[in-house]
Amino acid sequence: MALVEIHDLHKSFGSNHVLRGIDFAVEEGEVVCVIGPSGSGKSTLLRCVNLLEVPEKGKVLVSGEDITDPDCHLDAARARIGMVFQQFNLFPHLSVLANCTVAQTTVLRRNASAAGEIARANLDRVGLNDKVNAYPMQLSGGQQQRVAIARALSMDPALMLFDEPTSALDPELVGDVLTVMRKLALDGMTMLVVTHEMAFAREVADRVVFMDGGVIVEQGPPAEVIGNPQQERTRTFLRRVLDPTHVEPT
């Protein structure tokens, strides 16, 4: 059984029909990168997976549980899903360690000692074990994003969602975050990643999904979708992303 199953998913914002009948699944241990132009529905798809956006139609199943069912215990379901946003969304008044323990103690009801131990282990995992007493404003953007990853990991998620996690970073800081994500993939973490980092998608993803206009245009192994796309829309997008100075002949 797939860890994530999406059936006939539709989502609109007013008259803008953003998702138009998405059918999609993510297997346990699989790394799926979702690529596509701005406005194609990538982030909305991701946010529907943990019901940050509520679809008008369709189902989202995580570990076999329909989280779109009104009777679903949504907080319990979300506790199994870690999410890392474009912005870091850390609590500025809390230390790095406290940022990584507060959800553990309030949602999972872990005691402070156990939560601290788990948080420190995950901060070490992202290379920030020396920053436990720092505050977000004392960290670089890349360090803050790695704290956000450690915070999500501290909830022991079955699934990690990444919504363009490097888009707000200076170019020099992108590599540190992508390195952490590569390590998670090697550790077998199930990951659904919305990204514009084509090199990361080519190297790390088991599958690449290209979206445009609220539908999945093409999907498959990176070597096929990025290396040898079958759809003209995919080819056009990749030409612009991989060769931004290219000018189409008139």
Side-chain angles (χ1 to χ4, degrees):
M1 182 178 63
L3 184 63
V4 180
E5 298 178 67
I6 297 171
H7 302 287
D8 193 28
L9 197 68
H10 291 258
K11 176 63 182 177
S12 297
F13 296 100
S15 61
N16 184 14
H17 197 173
V18 178
L19 298 178
R20 300 171 177 265
I22 298 290
D23 288 292
F24 182 63
V26 180
E27 300 295 328
E28 186 173 356
E30 188 178 22
V31 178
V32 178
C33 285
V34 184
I35 64 173
S38 296
S40 60
K42 309 182 302 296
S43 292
T44 300
L45 171 63
L46 208 66
R47 292 171 67 85
C48 283
V49 171
N50 63 359
L51 235 61
L52 289 178
E53 299 291 351
V54 180
E56 284 83 36
K57 181 183 178 184
K59 291 184 178 182
V60 178
L61 284 77
V62 179
S63 300
E65 182 176 9
D66 182 1
I67 67 169
T68 51
D69 186 330
D71 293 329
C72 172
H73 191 311
L74 191 54
D75 288 342
R78 282 179 175 154
R80 304 194 301 269
I81 305 171
M83 188 161 184
V84 178
F85 300 87
Q86 296 178 33
Q87 302 298 328
F88 322 122
N89 293 343
L90 300 177
F91 295 112
H93 63 292
L94 296 180
S95 69
V96 165
L97 184 64
N99 264 280
C100 294
T101 58
V102 61
Q104 294 187 65
T105 55
T106 57
V107 177
L108 300 182
R109 303 298 182 186
R110 286 176 178 153
N111 64 53
S113 176
E117 185 176 341
I118 290 167
R120 288 175 185 275
N122 283 303
L123 286 165
D124 184 57
R125 197 174 177 184
V126 301
L128 291 174
N129 57 338
D130 61 334
K131 300 293 185 181
V132 292
N133 295 318
Y135 285 80
M137 66 178 296
Q138 298 172 311
L139 305 178
S140 70
Q143 289 172 328
Q144 290 186 62
Q145 193 62 295
R146 284 188 281 154
V147 172
I149 293 172
R151 176 179 61 182
L153 292 174
S154 294
M155 299 294 286
D156 297 329
L159 169 69
M160 284 288 287
L161 307 176
F162 292 88
D163 187 6
E164 298 189 30
T166 61
S167 65
L169 301 180
D170 292 336
E172 289 183 328
L173 305 177
V174 168
D176 291 340
V177 173
L178 294 182
T179 296
V180 169
M181 294 171 65
R182 286 186 182 95
K183 290 178 180 177
L184 292 180
L186 289 173
D187 289 343
M189 174 63 72
T190 307
M191 297 164 58
L192 182 56
V193 184
V194 170
T195 185
H196 289 296
E197 302 288 346
M198 293 301 118
F200 174 84
R202 191 192 298 268
E203 175 188 345
V204 178
D206 297 299
R207 180 161 43 109
V208 173
V209 174
F210 174 68
M211 287 184 65
D212 189 34
V215 300
I216 294 174
V217 176
E218 186 170 353
Q219 63 178 308
E224 294 180 7
V225 175
I226 298 177
N228 185 30
Q230 300 303 300
Q231 301 298 320
E232 179 58 31
R233 182 66 187 92
T234 314
R235 290 194 288 268
T236 301
F237 170 78
L238 288 170
R239 277 197 299 269
R240 291 175 177 170
V241 171
L242 299 175
D243 187 11
T245 62
H246 176 78
V247 177
E248 295 288 345
T250 57

